[in-house]
Amino acid sequence: DPESGQDWVYLRRGAGATDDRIVRRRLDNPKVEERVWSRTKNGHQGVPWFQLSADGKRFSNAFPWSHCGLGNLESGQWKKYTSGCWPSIAPDNSYRMFIFSGNHKEIGIYDEGGKNLRTVNLANIPGQQGSKVYFPRLSNDVRFLTVSSPENHPKAELFLGEFAADLKSIDRWTRVTHNDQADIFGDTWLTPQPSPH
C-alpha cells in the first residue's frame, strides 16, 4: 500500500472457483484479511489472473473468463475491453493493460478506458515463427513480457520479449530456458541497471 507502506498479499480464496472472492492479507499478520473484489465472478477456473497497478487502485482480470478488462477499486466498477484471456496490467500507474487473443498468437494492448488499441504479434519468435504461444505475462518492467512457446508442447521454452517504444511490436526475443521439458508460467523480474549519469 503506497499510502501506508503496509505490505499485502492478494489472492483468490477457496479452491480456484471463479466465484471465490479476491482478498488481501497483511504480510506481517496473515490473519488480517480484507475483501478486495466480490462484485463479479473472476478469472478462470483454477487461474485468477488478478493483477494490480502500482498504486493498488486498478486491476486487470476476467469478470469472469472470457470477459476481460480493467477494474477500478475506488469506484467498484469494471469495464470489459474485449473477450480473451491472460489479462495483464502494467506494473506502473499508466493503467495500460493487455489481453491475450483467442488465436494465441497476439495480444491487444489498451490504454485506460480501452483506448488506443495496439495489436502485437507474439508468433514471430526466431525459430518458432507462426507457433502459438501461451502464458503471456508482463514483467516488473513495462518494456518486457514472458511467453511459453510453442503452446502445449512437451519441450516448450520460455522467451522474453522486449516491446518497441510504440508498443506495436516486439523488437527482440531472448530465449530464457534451454532444456527438454515444458517450461510454463514464466514470471520475470528485471533488476534496473544503474544510470550512467
Side-chain angles (χ1 to χ4, degrees):
D1 185 335
E3 293 180 9
S4 70
Q6 182 66 56
D7 291 322
W8 297 85
V9 174
Y10 287 72
L11 62 134
R12 182 167 70 178
R13 293 192 67 190
T18 59
D19 56 358
D20 291 333
R21 67 181 186 232
I22 303 290
V23 299
R24 70 179 189 170
R25 294 180 182 155
R26 277 184 37 182
L27 189 60
D28 64 341
N29 185 1
K31 292 180 182 177
V32 176
E33 179 180 287
E34 296 178 358
R35 183 177 1 204
V36 174
W37 189 261
S38 60
R39 292 175 181 89
T40 63
K41 292 184 177 185
N42 66 83
H44 188 281
Q45 195 74 12
V47 185
W49 293 326
F50 181 93
Q51 286 188 332
L52 281 170
S53 59
D55 61 12
K57 295 178 179 179
R58 304 289 188 275
F59 67 95
S60 61
N61 203 357
F63 299 90
W65 176 77
S66 66
H67 308 283
C68 294
L70 192 75
N72 184 324
L73 291 173
E74 296 174 301
S75 69
Q77 302 298 311
W78 72 277
K79 178 174 178 157
K80 178 182 175 181
Y81 288 0
T82 191
S83 294
C85 59
W86 290 96
S88 191
I89 193 168
D92 56 16
N93 292 325
S94 66
Y95 308 141
R96 183 177 295 128
M97 68 169 296
F98 75 66
I99 298 169
F100 194 36
S101 73
N103 67 16
H104 288 201
K105 292 186 175 186
E106 61 193 22
I107 55 171
I109 298 178
Y110 298 84
D111 290 341
E112 186 180 19
K115 300 174 184 173
N116 195 22
L117 170 63
R118 287 142 303 208
T119 302
V120 179
N121 179 16
L122 301 181
N124 60 351
I125 299 170
Q128 307 275 336
Q129 283 90 346
S131 295
K132 291 182 178 183
V133 302
Y134 210 32
F135 312 113
R137 300 315 275 160
L138 281 171
S139 77
N140 65 308
D141 184 318
V142 297
R143 299 171 300 162
F144 298 92
L145 88 160
T146 307
V147 299
S148 177
S149 181
E151 177 188 49
N152 295 328
H153 193 280
K155 295 182 180 181
E157 302 287 359
L158 292 174
F159 294 86
L160 182 69
E162 182 175 0
F163 287 103
D166 62 6
L167 299 176
K168 292 182 178 179
S169 63
I170 301 292
D171 265 357
R172 180 173 49 137
W173 288 103
T174 302
R175 184 172 168 175
V176 177
T177 59
H178 298 267
N179 56 52
D180 289 329
Q181 58 189 10
D183 294 295
I184 58 175
F185 290 108
D187 283 308
T188 301
W189 183 270
L190 298 166
T191 303
Q193 295 297 313
S195 171
H197 304 290

